[in-house]
Amino acid sequence: QVQLVETGGGLVQPGGSLRLSCVASRTFVTFYSMGWFRQAPGKQRELVAVSIIDGSTNYVDSVKGRFTISRDNANNAVNLQMNNLKPEDTANYYCYARTSNAKDYWGQGTQVTVSS
């Protein structure tokens, strides 16, 4: 069974930075994709950033230029560096991973709150 363990959430002021990390356990192959979703209260869950096995990345428009996703395929880990945080970034952030045979795994979520 795969477990995704997330760390790095917290409370920051607007303009601050956080680095989220996610490490997958009990894996034997490199995931097809790893990334981050987020969900704010009363809103739909949205994809924030994803890294594909071929090295490509995608970001939701609202975080482009501020967030950077990175992968460590050997360790099945993914990180999200978040800079210049805004109040609208406040959400619960979920790590996810997808295998090449279309099995999905989710982390438990880590809260990011951006407020003065």
Side-chain angles (χ1 to χ4, degrees):
Q1 180 176 335
V2 173
Q3 294 182 353
L4 303 180
V5 180
E6 302 149 316
T7 59
L11 172 64
V12 297
Q13 295 184 2
S17 298
L18 286 173
R19 182 177 175 87
L20 305 183
S21 295
C22 174
V23 179
S25 65
R26 307 178 189 179
T27 59
F28 301 95
V29 298
T30 302
F31 290 112
Y32 171 75
S33 63
M34 296 189 75
W36 297 88
F37 282 74
R38 68 185 180 187
Q39 187 168 26
K43 296 185 177 180
Q44 297 284 331
R45 183 173 296 191
E46 68 173 350
L47 178 66
V48 179
V50 62
S51 175
I52 312 299
I53 197 169
D54 65 0
S56 63
T57 58
N58 289 291
Y59 300 88
V60 66
D61 285 344
S62 61
V63 309
K64 288 181 178 178
R66 300 188 296 119
F67 291 11
T68 302
I69 190 169
S70 59
R71 285 277 297 274
D72 181 350
N73 289 334
N75 295 313
N76 276 324
V78 63
N79 303 304
L80 186 68
Q81 179 66 44
M82 305 185 295
N83 297 326
N84 192 24
L85 284 160
K86 303 176 180 180
E88 51 263 43
D89 295 317
T90 296
N92 204 351
Y93 284 69
Y94 297 88
C95 178
Y96 91 95
R98 176 169 290 176
T99 66
S100 294
N101 59 355
K103 294 182 179 179
D104 290 342
Y105 300 92
W106 292 89
Q108 80 286 350
T110 184
Q111 180 67 36
V112 172
T113 302
V114 186
S115 176
S116 298

